[in-house]
Amino acid sequence: MQLQQVIIAHKANDSSSQRCAEKCARQLENRGCKVLVGPSGPKDNPFPVFLASVTRPIDLAIILGGDGTALTAARWLASDAVPILAVNIGGHLGFLTESIEEFTDTEQVWERLLSDRFAVQRRMMLQATVFEGSRSNLEPMSDRFLALNEMCVKPASADRMITSILEMEIDGEVVDQYQGDGLLVATPTGSTCYTVAANGPIIHPGMEAIVVTPICPLSLSSRPIVLPPGCVVSIWPLADQDLSTKLWMDGVLATSIWPGQRVDIRMAECQAEFIILRENYSYYQTLQEKLQWAGARVRFNNHHRN
């Protein structure tokens, strides 16, 4: 890897991640690297400025924060195949990030990156587009929206808990109608986020699959379904008298969906690229740590392991 053009995004209003970002910027500039630094948060988005300001391809994006900061970076940088080094500084769960222990000696990290002593984990993403009218109309009504965790179709209202009625098609075939809080269409990466909270399955991020999970459905027969990555999931809002149905990408509002419109969700053409520094990285260990899996309450001696 070269380190000639690097961008650094730190969690907004977090002093520890900002101090770390400033330290990293100084060290990289001393190595002759051009660095752009900015805060990332609900009211701060540095990535459009980053992408418009660079004069050469971005070699590395250093993301200092939690999973939310990493998700924002992935949505903006995946299309340009920018590798992301995400470090959990000021975050909470940290599914997508390296631990701060791996980033203590930053000078050693730069040496490892320059000598290619790291792994790259590529994660599937989803893209969504809104269309008007019948399926014969192939002219999109919206931009292309990207998500690393999930696309969510559900209503939003300031003063009511609205029940949505949604019809789902898979590859043009009507599969079911859902009445409840909404629908989640997730990647394997997103299966351990909103999807698992809605009783969906956990899927290894090394797989390519699409998971559709109803959110609090008003029918016991409405179950999660796992689809091949080549499927197109189309969702139509029905009986939306309040005009409140929204499309959300990784928990961020993408656009409104009006009656007579549908949103098509499919596997994105791009992938998010995350740098792994841990030499003993294990997805299953991550599950044990982040989900606090304790195992059986009764302890057994595994003599066959001796």
PDB file of all heavy atoms in Angstrom, residues 233-253:
ATOM      1  N   VAL A 233     -35.380  -7.522  -4.613  1.00  0.00           N
ATOM      2  CA  VAL A 233     -36.498  -7.410  -3.682  1.00  0.00           C
ATOM      3  C   VAL A 233     -37.208  -6.088  -3.955  1.00  0.00           C
ATOM      4  O   VAL A 233     -36.601  -5.012  -3.841  1.00  0.00           O
ATOM      5  CB  VAL A 233     -36.021  -7.468  -2.224  1.00  0.00           C
ATOM      6  CG1 VAL A 233     -37.194  -7.309  -1.266  1.00  0.00           C
ATOM      7  CG2 VAL A 233     -35.294  -8.777  -1.955  1.00  0.00           C
ATOM      8  N   SER A 234     -38.485  -6.170  -4.332  1.00  0.00           N
ATOM      9  CA  SER A 234     -39.286  -4.973  -4.594  1.00  0.00           C
ATOM     10  C   SER A 234     -40.332  -4.827  -3.509  1.00  0.00           C
ATOM     11  O   SER A 234     -41.025  -5.784  -3.164  1.00  0.00           O
ATOM     12  CB  SER A 234     -39.974  -5.071  -5.961  1.00  0.00           C
ATOM     13  OG  SER A 234     -39.012  -5.225  -6.996  1.00  0.00           O
ATOM     14  N   ILE A 235     -40.439  -3.629  -2.959  1.00  0.00           N
ATOM     15  CA  ILE A 235     -41.378  -3.358  -1.868  1.00  0.00           C
ATOM     16  C   ILE A 235     -42.301  -2.218  -2.273  1.00  0.00           C
ATOM     17  O   ILE A 235     -41.845  -1.149  -2.689  1.00  0.00           O
ATOM     18  CB  ILE A 235     -40.631  -3.010  -0.569  1.00  0.00           C
ATOM     19  CG1 ILE A 235     -39.712  -4.163  -0.149  1.00  0.00           C
ATOM     20  CG2 ILE A 235     -41.607  -2.681   0.556  1.00  0.00           C
ATOM     21  CD1 ILE A 235     -38.839  -3.854   1.041  1.00  0.00           C
ATOM     22  N   TRP A 236     -43.626  -2.483  -2.168  1.00  0.00           N
ATOM     23  CA  TRP A 236     -44.651  -1.501  -2.493  1.00  0.00           C
ATOM     24  C   TRP A 236     -45.378  -1.113  -1.202  1.00  0.00           C
ATOM     25  O   TRP A 236     -45.859  -1.979  -0.474  1.00  0.00           O
ATOM     26  CB  TRP A 236     -45.682  -2.083  -3.464  1.00  0.00           C
ATOM     27  CG  TRP A 236     -45.149  -2.564  -4.772  1.00  0.00           C
ATOM     28  CD1 TRP A 236     -44.455  -3.719  -5.002  1.00  0.00           C
ATOM     29  CD2 TRP A 236     -45.285  -1.923  -6.041  1.00  0.00           C
ATOM     30  NE1 TRP A 236     -44.156  -3.828  -6.339  1.00  0.00           N
ATOM     31  CE2 TRP A 236     -44.653  -2.746  -7.002  1.00  0.00           C
ATOM     32  CE3 TRP A 236     -45.909  -0.735  -6.468  1.00  0.00           C
ATOM     33  CZ2 TRP A 236     -44.602  -2.425  -8.349  1.00  0.00           C
ATOM     34  CZ3 TRP A 236     -45.858  -0.404  -7.813  1.00  0.00           C
ATOM     35  CH2 TRP A 236     -45.210  -1.237  -8.737  1.00  0.00           C
ATOM     36  N   PRO A 237     -45.512   0.173  -0.896  1.00  0.00           N
ATOM     37  CA  PRO A 237     -46.360   0.576   0.244  1.00  0.00           C
ATOM     38  C   PRO A 237     -47.829   0.543  -0.164  1.00  0.00           C
ATOM     39  O   PRO A 237     -48.209   1.055  -1.224  1.00  0.00           O
ATOM     40  CB  PRO A 237     -45.888   1.997   0.551  1.00  0.00           C
ATOM     41  CG  PRO A 237     -45.346   2.511  -0.746  1.00  0.00           C
ATOM     42  CD  PRO A 237     -44.796   1.312  -1.490  1.00  0.00           C
ATOM     43  N   LEU A 238     -48.658  -0.067   0.670  1.00  0.00           N
ATOM     44  CA  LEU A 238     -50.094  -0.141   0.425  1.00  0.00           C
ATOM     45  C   LEU A 238     -50.829   0.640   1.508  1.00  0.00           C
ATOM     46  O   LEU A 238     -50.398   0.680   2.662  1.00  0.00           O
ATOM     47  CB  LEU A 238     -50.566  -1.597   0.416  1.00  0.00           C
ATOM     48  CG  LEU A 238     -49.837  -2.551  -0.544  1.00  0.00           C
ATOM     49  CD1 LEU A 238     -50.379  -3.973  -0.370  1.00  0.00           C
ATOM     50  CD2 LEU A 238     -49.975  -2.091  -1.982  1.00  0.00           C
ATOM     51  N   ALA A 239     -51.967   1.223   1.158  1.00  0.00           N
ATOM     52  CA  ALA A 239     -52.833   1.917   2.120  1.00  0.00           C
ATOM     53  C   ALA A 239     -52.066   2.947   2.947  1.00  0.00           C
ATOM     54  O   ALA A 239     -52.262   3.064   4.158  1.00  0.00           O
ATOM     55  CB  ALA A 239     -53.512   0.902   3.044  1.00  0.00           C
ATOM     56  N   ASP A 240     -51.172   3.678   2.291  1.00  0.00           N
ATOM     57  CA  ASP A 240     -50.378   4.687   2.991  1.00  0.00           C
ATOM     58  C   ASP A 240     -51.110   6.032   2.950  1.00  0.00           C
ATOM     59  O   ASP A 240     -50.738   6.947   2.227  1.00  0.00           O
ATOM     60  CB  ASP A 240     -48.991   4.804   2.353  1.00  0.00           C
ATOM     61  CG  ASP A 240     -48.077   5.749   3.121  1.00  0.00           C
ATOM     62  OD1 ASP A 240     -48.426   6.100   4.259  1.00  0.00           O
ATOM     63  OD2 ASP A 240     -47.032   6.142   2.574  1.00  0.00           O
ATOM     64  N   GLN A 241     -52.168   6.151   3.747  1.00  0.00           N
ATOM     65  CA  GLN A 241     -52.973   7.364   3.730  1.00  0.00           C
ATOM     66  C   GLN A 241     -52.247   8.555   4.341  1.00  0.00           C
ATOM     67  O   GLN A 241     -52.525   9.704   4.005  1.00  0.00           O
ATOM     68  CB  GLN A 241     -54.291   7.124   4.469  1.00  0.00           C
ATOM     69  CG  GLN A 241     -55.147   6.030   3.841  1.00  0.00           C
ATOM     70  CD  GLN A 241     -56.413   5.743   4.620  1.00  0.00           C
ATOM     71  OE1 GLN A 241     -56.618   6.289   5.716  1.00  0.00           O
ATOM     72  NE2 GLN A 241     -57.268   4.905   4.068  1.00  0.00           N
ATOM     73  N   ASP A 242     -51.300   8.283   5.229  1.00  0.00           N
ATOM     74  CA  ASP A 242     -50.559   9.377   5.866  1.00  0.00           C
ATOM     75  C   ASP A 242     -49.332   9.805   5.069  1.00  0.00           C
ATOM     76  O   ASP A 242     -48.650  10.745   5.472  1.00  0.00           O
ATOM     77  CB  ASP A 242     -50.118   8.952   7.273  1.00  0.00           C
ATOM     78  CG  ASP A 242     -51.295   8.696   8.187  1.00  0.00           C
ATOM     79  OD1 ASP A 242     -52.040   9.659   8.437  1.00  0.00           O
ATOM     80  OD2 ASP A 242     -51.463   7.547   8.637  1.00  0.00           O
ATOM     81  N   LEU A 243     -49.054   9.120   3.961  1.00  0.00           N
ATOM     82  CA  LEU A 243     -47.885   9.443   3.127  1.00  0.00           C
ATOM     83  C   LEU A 243     -46.618   9.493   3.980  1.00  0.00           C
ATOM     84  O   LEU A 243     -45.838  10.440   3.932  1.00  0.00           O
ATOM     85  CB  LEU A 243     -48.089  10.782   2.405  1.00  0.00           C
ATOM     86  CG  LEU A 243     -49.349  10.895   1.542  1.00  0.00           C
ATOM     87  CD1 LEU A 243     -49.449  12.278   0.918  1.00  0.00           C
ATOM     88  CD2 LEU A 243     -49.380   9.820   0.473  1.00  0.00           C
ATOM     89  N   SER A 244     -46.424   8.456   4.784  1.00  0.00           N
ATOM     90  CA  SER A 244     -45.339   8.465   5.776  1.00  0.00           C
ATOM     91  C   SER A 244     -44.281   7.406   5.539  1.00  0.00           C
ATOM     92  O   SER A 244     -43.340   7.298   6.330  1.00  0.00           O
ATOM     93  CB  SER A 244     -45.929   8.272   7.181  1.00  0.00           C
ATOM     94  OG  SER A 244     -46.617   7.026   7.243  1.00  0.00           O
ATOM     95  N   THR A 245     -44.409   6.596   4.473  1.00  0.00           N
ATOM     96  CA  THR A 245     -43.460   5.509   4.259  1.00  0.00           C
ATOM     97  C   THR A 245     -42.114   6.073   3.826  1.00  0.00           C
ATOM     98  O   THR A 245     -42.028   6.901   2.919  1.00  0.00           O
ATOM     99  CB  THR A 245     -43.984   4.531   3.198  1.00  0.00           C
ATOM    100  OG1 THR A 245     -45.247   4.034   3.608  1.00  0.00           O
ATOM    101  CG2 THR A 245     -43.024   3.369   3.025  1.00  0.00           C
ATOM    102  N   LYS A 246     -41.053   5.591   4.466  1.00  0.00           N
ATOM    103  CA  LYS A 246     -39.700   6.082   4.195  1.00  0.00           C
ATOM    104  C   LYS A 246     -38.777   4.908   3.883  1.00  0.00           C
ATOM    105  O   LYS A 246     -38.990   3.786   4.341  1.00  0.00           O
ATOM    106  CB  LYS A 246     -39.126   6.844   5.399  1.00  0.00           C
ATOM    107  CG  LYS A 246     -40.049   7.884   6.006  1.00  0.00           C
ATOM    108  CD  LYS A 246     -40.247   9.076   5.118  1.00  0.00           C
ATOM    109  CE  LYS A 246     -41.109  10.137   5.823  1.00  0.00           C
ATOM    110  NZ  LYS A 246     -41.405  11.291   4.957  1.00  0.00           N
ATOM    111  N   LEU A 247     -37.757   5.206   3.117  1.00  0.00           N
ATOM    112  CA  LEU A 247     -36.649   4.275   2.900  1.00  0.00           C
ATOM    113  C   LEU A 247     -35.470   4.758   3.723  1.00  0.00           C
ATOM    114  O   LEU A 247     -35.052   5.920   3.623  1.00  0.00           O
ATOM    115  CB  LEU A 247     -36.268   4.213   1.418  1.00  0.00           C
ATOM    116  CG  LEU A 247     -34.992   3.426   1.089  1.00  0.00           C
ATOM    117  CD1 LEU A 247     -35.180   1.939   1.393  1.00  0.00           C
ATOM    118  CD2 LEU A 247     -34.585   3.625  -0.365  1.00  0.00           C
ATOM    119  N   TRP A 248     -34.934   3.843   4.554  1.00  0.00           N
ATOM    120  CA  TRP A 248     -33.806   4.162   5.426  1.00  0.00           C
ATOM    121  C   TRP A 248     -32.609   3.307   5.030  1.00  0.00           C
ATOM    122  O   TRP A 248     -32.753   2.122   4.732  1.00  0.00           O
ATOM    123  CB  TRP A 248     -34.155   3.884   6.889  1.00  0.00           C
ATOM    124  CG  TRP A 248     -35.434   4.518   7.342  1.00  0.00           C
ATOM    125  CD1 TRP A 248     -36.705   4.047   7.132  1.00  0.00           C
ATOM    126  CD2 TRP A 248     -35.589   5.729   8.076  1.00  0.00           C
ATOM    127  NE1 TRP A 248     -37.631   4.892   7.689  1.00  0.00           N
ATOM    128  CE2 TRP A 248     -36.976   5.934   8.278  1.00  0.00           C
ATOM    129  CE3 TRP A 248     -34.680   6.658   8.599  1.00  0.00           C
ATOM    130  CZ2 TRP A 248     -37.478   7.029   8.962  1.00  0.00           C
ATOM    131  CZ3 TRP A 248     -35.190   7.750   9.297  1.00  0.00           C
ATOM    132  CH2 TRP A 248     -36.568   7.929   9.467  1.00  0.00           C
ATOM    133  N   MET A 249     -31.433   3.899   5.008  1.00  0.00           N
ATOM    134  CA  MET A 249     -30.205   3.161   4.692  1.00  0.00           C
ATOM    135  C   MET A 249     -29.285   3.221   5.898  1.00  0.00           C
ATOM    136  O   MET A 249     -28.855   4.295   6.316  1.00  0.00           O
ATOM    137  CB  MET A 249     -29.521   3.754   3.452  1.00  0.00           C
ATOM    138  CG  MET A 249     -29.312   5.244   3.485  1.00  0.00           C
ATOM    139  SD  MET A 249     -28.544   5.893   1.987  1.00  0.00           S
ATOM    140  CE  MET A 249     -28.369   7.630   2.471  1.00  0.00           C
ATOM    141  N   ASP A 250     -29.023   2.074   6.489  1.00  0.00           N
ATOM    142  CA  ASP A 250     -28.191   2.001   7.695  1.00  0.00           C
ATOM    143  C   ASP A 250     -28.692   2.948   8.784  1.00  0.00           C
ATOM    144  O   ASP A 250     -27.917   3.581   9.499  1.00  0.00           O
ATOM    145  CB  ASP A 250     -26.724   2.314   7.372  1.00  0.00           C
ATOM    146  CG  ASP A 250     -26.086   1.274   6.487  1.00  0.00           C
ATOM    147  OD1 ASP A 250     -26.561   0.128   6.490  1.00  0.00           O
ATOM    148  OD2 ASP A 250     -25.110   1.614   5.772  1.00  0.00           O
ATOM    149  N   GLY A 251     -30.017   3.074   8.906  1.00  0.00           N
ATOM    150  CA  GLY A 251     -30.602   3.926   9.934  1.00  0.00           C
ATOM    151  C   GLY A 251     -30.675   5.391   9.580  1.00  0.00           C
ATOM    152  O   GLY A 251     -31.151   6.200  10.382  1.00  0.00           O
ATOM    153  N   VAL A 252     -30.223   5.763   8.375  1.00  0.00           N
ATOM    154  CA  VAL A 252     -30.251   7.154   7.924  1.00  0.00           C
ATOM    155  C   VAL A 252     -31.346   7.299   6.871  1.00  0.00           C
ATOM    156  O   VAL A 252     -31.474   6.445   5.981  1.00  0.00           O
ATOM    157  CB  VAL A 252     -28.886   7.582   7.354  1.00  0.00           C
ATOM    158  CG1 VAL A 252     -28.940   9.016   6.831  1.00  0.00           C
ATOM    159  CG2 VAL A 252     -27.802   7.448   8.419  1.00  0.00           C
ATOM    160  N   LEU A 253     -32.122   8.369   6.937  1.00  0.00           N
ATOM    161  CA  LEU A 253     -33.207   8.580   5.980  1.00  0.00           C
ATOM    162  C   LEU A 253     -32.649   8.756   4.575  1.00  0.00           C
ATOM    163  O   LEU A 253     -31.793   9.609   4.336  1.00  0.00           O
ATOM    164  CB  LEU A 253     -34.028   9.810   6.374  1.00  0.00           C
ATOM    165  CG  LEU A 253     -35.180  10.180   5.436  1.00  0.00           C
ATOM    166  CD1 LEU A 253     -36.208   9.056   5.387  1.00  0.00           C
ATOM    167  CD2 LEU A 253     -35.827  11.498   5.868  1.00  0.00           C
TER     168      LEU A 253
END
